[in-house]
Amino acid sequence: METNTALTAQDVADILKIAKNTVYELIKRGELNSYKVGRKVRFTLSDVEEYIANSKCIQKPLSGRIASLEPAPLTSPTPMVSRNDFIICGQDLMLDVLSSQIEKLAPATRTLRSYIGSYNSLVALYQGHVQVATAHLWDGDTGDYNIPYVRRLLPGIATVIIHLTCRIQGFYVPKGNPKQIYTWSDLSRPDLNIINREKGSGSRILLDENLRLLGQSGQSINGYRRESQSHFAVASTVGRGGADVGIGQEKVAHQVKGVDFIPLQKERYELVVKKEDFNSTPVQTILEILRSEEFRLEFEGINGYYIEEMGNIIAEI
């Protein structure tokens, strides 16, 4: 998929994990660039990537409309968000479905979504801007996911970690893996160019931790400074020949043409809440949803989700 290849509204909806009608609403609001071919609306991948990069705002999930909230730096309160709003951070489709279910079971709760990465998600929870952070952050020294980062980034705050799912992280490579890329050490080869994720994302930290353990500097890797804001954009770049390799989730590899997936390790994707909020109606509703057969069935047959531990309390810190 070239950067200027025409995408349909449904293509964009699939990339952004929103309803197709919401795509048209974004056009009307002037938030997403588009053009017309005859009577049909089309988009370029660069338009979508620009929207993703700029959409660090908090959004209404799966409702066909976007809450009119502007981005705010983590050092200042988020504007136009009331004290009664319940904000969930993270970028996985599972969180959009979860948010929608919360509003059905707890209609008094206005659930909003903030599509920021794992590291910034924990920082936002520490600063009190959100109620639920999500994380898939691997610590190379302990081999553990999330717990070491929660301890470092939320000092002095009692927290509860709730398991959501496991996913497989690995390399996106062109079909047939022509350059035979299989290990982290391969990335330093001079004949390779990578496409990286943004700082603070779980995939970026996974890469950086593995490079640290190998004694390698990211700056010595071709393409290391070239960042993209989503798994889909990384896989698409590899699929269209714009890079030799990228890091991301297994699930996305099944959605992008021209890409093979090289599995590396299973990651833990988990929710983090403050212990003081654990008995609140929204958090208890989350536990009820995650432990329900209905929610499990939504994801049981989707490649890339491993839900055996869904809803388990992993740690109280």
Side-chain angles (χ1 to χ4, degrees), residues 78-87 110 112 131:
T78 305
M80 298 181 67
V81 178
S82 77
R83 291 182 180 180
N84 295 324
D85 289 334
F86 188 77
I87 304 168
R110 189 173 81 142
L112 302 176
Q131 285 68 50

Side-chain angles (χ1 to χ4, degrees), residues 18 47 66 70 73 101 137 140 145 147 155 219 234 243 262 304 307 315:
I18 58 178
D47 289 334
I66 304 294
E70 295 299 322
Q101 291 295 316
L137 299 172
Y145 269 94
I147 292 174
Q219 305 304 321
V234 170
I262 308 300
I307 59 174

Side-chain angles (χ1 to χ4, degrees), residues 1 5-9 11-12 15 35 41-46 48:
M1 185 186 298
T5 296
L7 301 175
T8 67
D11 291 334
V12 175
I15 293 171
Y35 64 95
V41 177
R42 293 292 182 263
F43 310 81
T44 65
L45 181 59
S46 59
V48 179

Side-chain angles (χ1 to χ4, degrees), residues 7-141:
L7 301 175
T8 67
Q10 188 59 59
D11 291 334
V12 175
D14 292 341
I15 293 171
L16 298 179
K17 302 181 181 69
I18 58 178
K20 186 176 177 181
N21 288 341
T22 307
V23 175
Y24 294 120
E25 182 65 24
L26 292 174
I27 297 171
K28 290 179 184 178
R29 292 176 178 268
E31 298 176 22
L32 178 62
N33 293 328
S34 65
Y35 64 95
K36 285 192 174 182
V37 177
R39 299 177 63 183
K40 296 181 178 180
V41 177
R42 293 292 182 263
F43 310 81
T44 65
L45 181 59
S46 59
D47 289 334
V48 179
E49 289 182 332
E50 181 180 357
Y51 171 77
I52 292 172
N54 293 331
S55 66
K56 299 303 184 184
C57 56
I58 298 165
Q59 301 181 345
K60 190 77 170 173
L62 300 178
S63 61
R65 66 186 180 87
I66 304 294
S68 57
L69 301 172
E70 295 299 322
L74 290 175
T75 53
S76 64
T78 305
M80 298 181 67
V81 178
S82 77
R83 291 182 180 180
N84 295 324
D85 289 334
F86 188 77
I87 304 168
I88 300 176
C89 290
Q91 301 174 344
D92 195 280
L93 168 65
M94 190 176 278
L95 300 172
D96 292 319
V97 179
L98 176 63
S99 299
S100 180
Q101 291 295 316
I102 292 171
E103 291 200 339
K104 289 180 182 178
L105 294 178
T109 302
R110 189 173 81 142
T111 306
L112 302 176
R113 293 279 289 105
S114 179
Y115 295 90
I116 59 177
S118 294
Y119 190 96
N120 287 337
S121 178
L122 292 177
V123 173
L125 181 65
Y126 175 71
Q127 295 180 330
H129 300 327
V130 305
Q131 285 68 50
V132 180
T134 57
H136 56 115
L137 299 172
W138 184 68
D139 177 65
D141 292 330

Side-chain angles (χ1 to χ4, degrees), residues 160-191:
V160 179
I161 300 178
I162 305 166
H163 187 74
L164 190 57
T165 188
C166 286
R167 306 179 302 192
I168 302 297
Q169 282 271 5
F171 292 150
Y172 302 129
V173 296
K175 276 290 183 184
N177 194 8
K179 293 196 174 181
Q180 300 294 290
I181 305 166
Y182 296 106
T183 67
W184 296 105
S185 59
D186 286 336
L187 300 184
S188 61
R189 284 166 35 190
D191 63 319

Side-chain angles (χ1 to χ4, degrees), residues 178-214:
K179 293 196 174 181
Q180 300 294 290
I181 305 166
Y182 296 106
T183 67
W184 296 105
S185 59
D186 286 336
L187 300 184
S188 61
R189 284 166 35 190
D191 63 319
L192 298 185
N193 278 283
I194 77 165
I195 175 73
N196 210 348
R197 285 295 306 278
E198 78 279 9
K199 291 178 180 177
S201 68
S203 297
R204 173 64 171 263
I205 288 174
L206 178 63
L207 168 63
D208 287 342
E209 280 289 270
N210 276 283
L211 292 179
R212 178 179 67 83
L213 293 176
L214 289 169

